[in-house]
Amino acid sequence: MSPNALLRPRADIELPGRLADSLITTQGAVLRTEEFSGWLAGHRRAHAFRVDRIPFTELDRWSFHPDTGNLVHDSGRFFTVEGLHVTTEAGPHREWHQPIIKQAEVGILGILVKEFDGVLHCLMQAKMEPGNPNLLQLSPTVQATRSNYTRVHQGAPVRYLDYFVEPGRGRVLADVLQSEHGAWFHRKSNRNMIVEVDDDIEPHGDFCWLTLGQIGELLHLDNVVNMDARTVLACAPIGAVDPDRARDPFVAALARSRHAGALHSDVELLSWFTAERARQNVRAERVPLAGLPGWVRGTHAIDRPDGRFFRVVAVSVQAGSREVSRWTQPLVEPRGLGVTAFVTRRIDGVLHVLMRARAEAGFLDSLELGPTVQCVPGNHDDLPPEDRPAFLDLVLSADPSIVRYEAVHSEEGGRFLNAESRYLVLEPEEDQVPLEPPPGFCWVTVGQLTSLVSHSNYVNVQARSLLACLNGMLAGAR
């Protein structure tokens, strides 16, 4: 046997190009783009969905633990709502207490892909989540916690799960553990996967095949593509798109940003981020929910007397298309519309994004790269200008002429109620965004972001959502 007979190439050099071809293809071979809205509306009409607020006493199989006051499920699975005590050495708030969702299980967020007419298509699902404002949105092929796919709820099996848990059922194109919202989850992560199949798969009625380009166009619509789909799509190692295909100069600069040089080398970027992680110290200690300072438990909610930030509520759910058709659960409800924005700048014709090294109490490593701005503006109304988030006022007062992308997207609808953010990509005048930004910020290309997303705990979920939206702007290479 040849000494090299067992060796294989370390990377599939054709995959990035195949994904890029899917991105620039905006008409699918299975479902036409103009047919999608009717397809989704038909699924809304076909199933009975209902979500009602209820008092905590009406939660089924959920209760407050008699010792800790934590909100727990009697199976010991799914998740718990606990307390968290946080101290930090930076920012206007150096210490606080808050409720937090503790979900130790690693879930699976997976998209199956298959070639039709030589172009990769994604198998996407119309999935109801109780926290989504419009309930039904486009989700990955599989979106399930371990408790769900091991059927703790005694419901129906998760369709297509075996392609993601049984080795050899398909070819893995991406597989990485990614964090979720560090402000509301304690060290929560999901396995983000993309798996290619050759099998003839007849989609169940709630599923459809779409190209990356079709999904990219849908990302321009409010509350259509859910958060779990966006984070998986961001993990796709999409290759270069020809800038000459783009009619819009901004899109051409975005296309170059996927493969061209950068203001900072990869080593410089990683060194800066490592230094930020070493510099910013966040300590988070889980504590009992009972008697949590600054929070009050009522009959229908756990919230702050001043009504800020968020509250914990309870709901009953009816969903004819889910593995279980009826259930109750707690949800976290933020108090206001969020703003999540990338501020960008062209540097030598290459688009760069201004990323922030963002500390959140629930992160495993305390710090990840986040968008330029990520907050609920109303939570900062009472702060003096020097304590308000950097660039927030620039984003809020942005003239429409500098807005390159805008859509309202929901956050995780399985745990959060009516959690929406206004996602933006802005290109201000150069004198508003200096090449040497304030401490904690760094200019990064889309290509560098894509490389970082292939690893865990570098790019937070809001930034991954915006990365998926940026990629979507290349749909058809407008």
Side-chain angles (χ1 to χ4, degrees):
M1 180 182 292
S2 166
N4 294 327
L6 299 179
L7 301 184
R8 303 170 61 185
R10 292 178 56 199
D12 179 353
I13 61 174
E14 295 182 353
L15 175 61
R18 296 172 66 216
L19 291 168
D21 287 343
S22 181
L23 181 60
I24 64 176
T25 302
T26 54
Q27 281 296 351
V30 183
L31 182 70
R32 306 289 291 177
T33 305
E34 59 269 19
E35 298 169 344
F36 175 81
S37 60
W39 178 86
L40 189 62
H43 284 276
R44 284 202 174 95
R45 293 190 299 268
H47 300 291
F49 301 128
R50 180 168 177 168
V51 178
D52 294 304
R53 297 173 187 264
I54 59 174
F56 290 122
T57 54
E58 293 184 14
L59 284 169
D60 181 31
R61 302 186 65 185
W62 292 87
S63 62
F64 291 100
H65 191 279
D67 297 327
T68 64
N70 294 345
L71 191 49
V72 300
H73 193 265
D74 65 9
S75 68
R77 303 286 295 276
F78 297 107
F79 62 93
T80 61
V81 181
E82 307 178 359
L84 197 71
H85 177 211
V86 185
T87 56
T88 180
E89 297 173 358
H93 304 291
R94 302 296 177 95
E95 181 179 13
W96 70 90
H97 292 80
Q98 66 167 89
I100 196 88
I101 296 174
K102 177 63 178 176
Q103 186 169 330
E105 304 174 344
V106 175
I108 293 178
L109 307 178
I111 294 178
L112 284 182
V113 299
K114 177 180 170 65
E115 276 196 0
F116 293 91
D117 294 344
V119 177
L120 288 173
H121 287 59
C122 304
L123 186 61
M124 306 299 288
Q125 176 184 183
K127 188 177 181 71
M128 182 273 192
E129 292 289 349
N132 290 338
N134 55 352
L135 298 182
L136 194 71
Q137 296 188 15
L138 199 63
S139 83
T141 316
V142 168
Q143 175 186 319
T145 66
R146 183 172 179 81
S147 290
N148 284 340
Y149 69 74
T150 57
R151 303 172 67 186
V152 173
H153 51 37
Q154 300 178 337
V158 175
R159 291 185 176 89
Y160 310 111
L161 176 69
D162 50 345
Y163 288 99
F164 300 94
V165 297
E166 296 181 9
R169 286 302 305 270
R171 189 166 70 97
V172 176
L173 307 185
D175 190 354
V176 58
L177 285 177
Q178 297 287 10
S179 65
E180 286 210 31
H181 299 74
W184 300 324
F185 277 117
H186 185 263
R187 299 186 176 184
K188 170 76 168 64
S189 62
N190 283 315
R191 193 175 176 189
N192 288 231
M193 302 181 69
I194 302 174
V195 175
E196 183 178 7
V197 294
D198 297 319
D199 299 357
D200 290 329
I201 297 177
E202 185 64 32
H204 178 270
D206 292 333
F207 294 74
C208 67
W209 292 103
L210 298 170
T211 67
L212 288 174
Q214 289 177 291
I215 301 170
E217 294 201 326
L218 295 174
L219 280 166
H220 286 75
L221 305 178
D222 292 349
N223 286 323
V224 171
V225 181
N226 80 356
M227 184 220 77
D228 300 284
R230 298 193 303 268
T231 178
V232 179
L233 292 167
C235 296
I238 300 170
V241 174
D242 185 359
D244 293 336
R245 292 180 56 95
R247 297 185 298 272
D248 184 316
F250 178 85
V251 176
L254 171 59
R256 283 189 287 272
S257 184
R258 297 204 59 84
H259 64 274
L263 180 64
H264 304 287
S265 72
D266 292 354
V267 171
E268 290 171 341
L269 172 60
L270 287 173
S271 178
W272 166 80
F273 186 57
T274 301
E276 287 294 318
R277 275 185 165 167
R279 180 179 68 85
Q280 297 196 39
N281 187 16
V282 178
R283 294 178 295 276
E285 177 189 5
R286 293 161 59 197
V287 297
L289 187 61
L292 194 67
W295 295 81
V296 177
R297 190 178 98 192
T299 59
H300 287 70
I302 302 169
D303 56 9
R304 290 166 51 101
D306 61 10
R308 295 174 66 189
F309 300 111
F310 64 91
R311 60 186 173 186
V312 180
V313 299
V315 297
S316 66
V317 185
Q318 298 180 36
S321 62
R322 289 291 298 265
E323 295 87 0
V324 173
S325 60
R326 293 173 181 265
W327 72 92
T328 65
Q329 69 170 96
L331 290 172
V332 166
E333 182 179 26
R335 306 300 288 265
L337 178 70
V339 171
T340 304
F342 274 166
V343 170
T344 68
R345 175 172 173 162
R346 294 180 225 179
I347 301 174
D348 289 344
V350 176
L351 192 73
H352 284 63
V353 174
L354 188 57
M355 302 297 293
R356 180 177 183 179
R358 181 176 178 84
E360 294 186 13
F363 285 155
L364 178 64
D365 288 328
S366 76
L367 201 74
E368 296 189 11
L369 286 176
T372 320
V373 171
Q374 174 196 316
C375 69
V376 174
N379 291 334
H380 305 278
D381 285 345
D382 61 341
L383 296 179
E386 63 270 18
D387 287 335
R388 286 169 62 80
F391 302 103
L392 174 60
D393 294 328
L394 170 66
V395 170
L396 294 180
S397 63
D399 188 272
S401 64
I402 69 169
V403 177
R404 302 293 178 252
Y405 173 89
E406 180 176 10
V408 174
H409 292 304
S410 300
E411 304 303 333
E412 216 286 316
R415 298 290 178 266
F416 311 140
L417 179 62
N418 297 324
E420 295 179 287
S421 290
R422 182 176 166 228
Y423 279 80
L424 295 151
V425 176
L426 306 180
E427 189 182 24
E429 295 296 326
E430 291 187 355
D431 59 359
Q432 296 179 287
V433 281
L435 278 179
E436 293 189 10
F441 291 83
C442 187
W443 290 108
V444 180
T445 68
V446 175
Q448 289 176 313
L449 270 184
T450 301
S451 296
L452 290 173
V453 166
S454 66
H455 303 281
S456 304
N457 304 320
Y458 276 101
V459 182
N460 78 359
V461 67
Q462 290 89 344
R464 296 196 306 272
S465 278
L466 273 172
L467 175 58
C469 296
L470 279 176
N471 289 336
M473 295 180 70
L474 292 169
R478 294 177 175 79

